[in-house]
Amino acid sequence: MYTKEEIFKAVSTVKDPEVGFNLVEMGLIYDGICNEEGDVKVIMTLSTKACPLHQMIVQWVEEAVLRELPNAQNAEAEVVWEPAWNITMADEHVMKALSGN
């Protein structure tokens, strides 16, 4: 069984291909849950509903869980739109880089 922190660490290997920051530091990963059977669920969002890489990013997250957490049996990434993502959810260095400040 993995902790939320371990799941976030695994998912941090996935970078947003457009801006180059990982999904965790961008604040796009909301939660990580693992049950006793090793099924991992990642609750996440994307920066926009119109993201053309939606399915690909979801696949990358699921693959990262299975690759980085060797005892994970299944991985599911669920994309939610509430709360809606905004730049203030990102780490400070990401906010500065993306806002140009």
Side-chain angles (χ1 to χ4, degrees), residues 7-69:
I7 295 168
F8 273 48
K9 183 177 178 183
V11 175
S12 72
T13 61
V14 180
K15 291 185 177 182
D16 181 303
E18 190 172 346
V19 295
F21 294 107
N22 78 58
L23 302 185
V24 173
E25 64 187 349
M26 287 187 64
L28 295 170
I29 305 300
Y30 291 163
D31 202 1
I33 305 157
C34 182
N35 67 19
E36 291 186 14
E37 288 76 36
D39 300 321
V40 176
K41 184 170 188 173
V42 176
I43 308 297
M44 60 178 289
T45 194
L46 298 170
S47 59
T48 174
K49 288 183 178 180
C51 178
L53 298 175
H54 178 126
Q55 291 303 320
M56 189 172 291
I57 292 172
V58 166
Q59 181 180 341
W60 292 340
V61 168
E62 292 170 346
E63 289 172 352
V65 167
L66 295 174
R67 181 183 61 246
E68 302 295 324
L69 303 174

Side-chain angles (χ1 to χ4, degrees), residues 3 12 15 22 29 35 43 73 86 89-90 92-94 96 99:
T3 65
S12 72
K15 291 185 177 182
N22 78 58
I29 305 300
N35 67 19
I43 308 297
Q73 298 302 307
N86 66 69
M89 296 171 148
E92 190 171 330
H93 74 281
V94 174
K96 285 181 181 178
S99 67

